[in-house]
Amino acid sequence: MAELRPSVLYALLVFGAILAGLGLIFGLFYDTEKLEGNRYLNSYAEFNGVTLTEKQKKAVSLLQNSDVEWAHFRFIEAIKNDDLSLVNAFIDADMPLNSNSILLEIALGKSLDKKTLLMLLRANYALNLDALYRLPNYVTEFDEQLSAVSKPYSEAKKEQYRLAMMEYKKKFIKWEEALEEKKQHLLRACSNDACRSGRINDARLLYEDSEPVEPKLDYIARERVYVSLFTIFVWQKDRLLIKFIQQQGAELMANKLFLTDAKLIYFMVDVEGNSTIINTKQQ
């Protein structure tokens, strides 16, 4: 039997290793359902062998005929897309809702019928209308209102800084005068440059610790905000939703505005959009 040359054998080994590597990758990432476009083909398996009511049967059939997977994120997607027929189908088929923050997304969304969505979810799930929600950083439509809330505090800090700078400048002038006087006193005993240089350094060392510290103006900006649905609807001037929230018994509650200087401002917003600062404290 003829022996393979080392170069040929090496090439075959390399080729075999490549094939083995490709096979391993294919085995790890191959998903028949995904490749066939049926990743969630079996998402309705939980209904197999289960006795369903007529309402549930109709809802499941509608979802399947719409090529919608039985998955929570599809339910959330239907809510965000304002697709009431799919939302109702998910509800009728007893899909749980594991996201209270969906209320915030509805409030900030572009739905033309937010009230219907909120009423529908409120009627079928235990959702908290009194919760505070963190506004996403990309939301800018309430910048004017939030700036108005933080403005009194920011202006007060600027005034404190201005007064502190005035006081600092007075103290610094006196300190410089005292330092210069000390230098002149020490220099009287000198008759050469080396002595003068040493005396000047001595004077600086003597007064170094007593030099006034220049005040710094803190950088103050909005860090994060937590607001109620009521506040959002008031800022949006949506009278229909304001009335809806009030009818649901939602309570007026203090919103939270965190600033970059570690200050927390509690503020209330009334039905006319007027803001009142309740408390300001250090975090």
Side-chain angles (χ1 to χ4, degrees):
M1 181 177 177
E3 293 185 0
L4 293 175
R5 288 184 296 175
S7 59
V8 175
L9 182 60
Y10 178 75
L12 289 173
L13 289 173
V14 170
F15 183 68
I18 292 174
L19 286 178
L22 290 174
L24 179 61
I25 293 173
F26 187 76
L28 288 173
F29 295 100
Y30 178 69
D31 184 338
T32 55
E33 291 181 340
K34 183 184 293 185
L35 293 179
E36 294 170 5
N38 297 312
R39 182 178 177 183
Y40 296 100
L41 183 63
N42 298 319
S43 64
Y44 289 90
E46 66 180 81
F47 294 105
N48 295 340
V50 177
T51 302
L52 301 177
T53 64
E54 287 302 316
K55 183 173 73 171
Q56 288 174 321
K57 289 178 182 177
K58 184 178 179 181
V60 170
S61 177
L62 189 153
L63 292 170
Q64 289 177 323
N65 291 335
S66 301
D67 293 325
V68 177
E69 302 88 349
W70 179 253
H72 185 266
F73 81 93
R74 292 299 186 195
F75 182 28
I76 298 297
E77 190 177 79
I79 295 172
K80 291 180 180 179
N81 291 338
D82 207 15
D83 193 329
L84 289 177
S85 63
L86 291 183
V87 171
N88 274 298
F90 274 113
I91 292 174
D92 290 345
D94 294 334
M95 169 64 78
L97 180 58
N98 303 320
S99 173
N100 199 68
S101 63
I102 190 62
L103 298 179
L104 174 66
E105 298 194 50
I106 293 173
L108 297 176
K110 302 300 182 183
S111 171
L112 299 177
D113 201 358
K114 294 180 182 179
K115 181 181 176 181
T116 299
L117 272 175
L118 290 173
M119 289 180 64
L120 190 58
L121 297 179
R122 173 74 165 170
N124 291 278
Y125 301 100
L127 299 175
N128 185 7
L129 296 179
D130 290 324
L132 290 181
Y133 297 92
R134 180 173 179 173
L135 280 182
N137 293 332
Y138 62 80
V139 175
T140 59
E141 61 181 294
F142 308 128
D143 284 358
E144 183 179 345
Q145 292 91 333
L146 290 168
S147 294
V149 172
S150 61
K151 185 177 180 179
Y153 172 74
S154 298
E155 292 297 324
K157 292 291 288 185
K158 289 179 181 178
E159 179 62 14
Q160 291 174 13
Y161 172 75
R162 187 185 71 82
L163 295 174
M165 277 299 294
M166 289 176 60
E167 187 64 23
Y168 162 75
K169 289 177 180 178
K170 291 177 183 177
K171 290 180 178 179
F172 188 78
I173 290 173
K174 290 182 178 180
W175 177 83
E176 277 192 319
E177 291 174 347
L179 174 61
E180 186 60 29
E181 184 179 343
K182 188 65 175 179
K183 286 179 183 178
Q184 295 303 322
H185 175 73
L186 294 176
L187 289 173
R188 292 192 190 104
C190 291
S191 58
N192 56 65
D193 290 342
C195 176
R196 293 188 186 93
S197 178
R199 294 297 185 178
I200 289 173
N201 287 333
D202 290 342
R204 286 174 178 168
L205 288 173
L206 284 171
Y207 279 77
E208 185 177 32
D209 292 338
S210 62
E211 181 179 357
V213 178
E214 182 177 350
K216 294 182 179 180
L217 179 61
D218 290 332
Y219 172 71
I220 300 176
R222 184 169 73 247
E223 184 178 76
R224 61 189 187 278
V225 188
Y226 293 85
V227 294
S228 65
L229 292 177
F230 176 83
T231 296
I232 291 175
F233 295 146
V234 168
W235 283 346
Q236 291 175 337
K237 299 180 180 179
D238 194 324
R239 294 291 177 183
L240 184 66
L241 288 176
I242 293 172
K243 185 177 181 180
F244 166 74
I245 286 290
Q246 291 175 325
Q247 290 173 339
Q248 300 303 307
E251 299 179 359
L252 281 177
M253 57 195 309
N255 305 287
K256 298 179 182 180
L257 171 58
F258 292 83
L259 301 177
T260 51
D261 67 340
K263 191 67 68 174
L264 168 58
I265 298 177
Y266 292 90
F267 67 98
M268 302 279 286
V269 176
D270 65 22
V271 71
E272 298 301 327
N274 301 309
S275 298
T276 304
I277 294 177
I278 304 301
N279 190 20
T280 302
K281 70 176 187 178
Q282 203 70 20
Q283 296 179 49

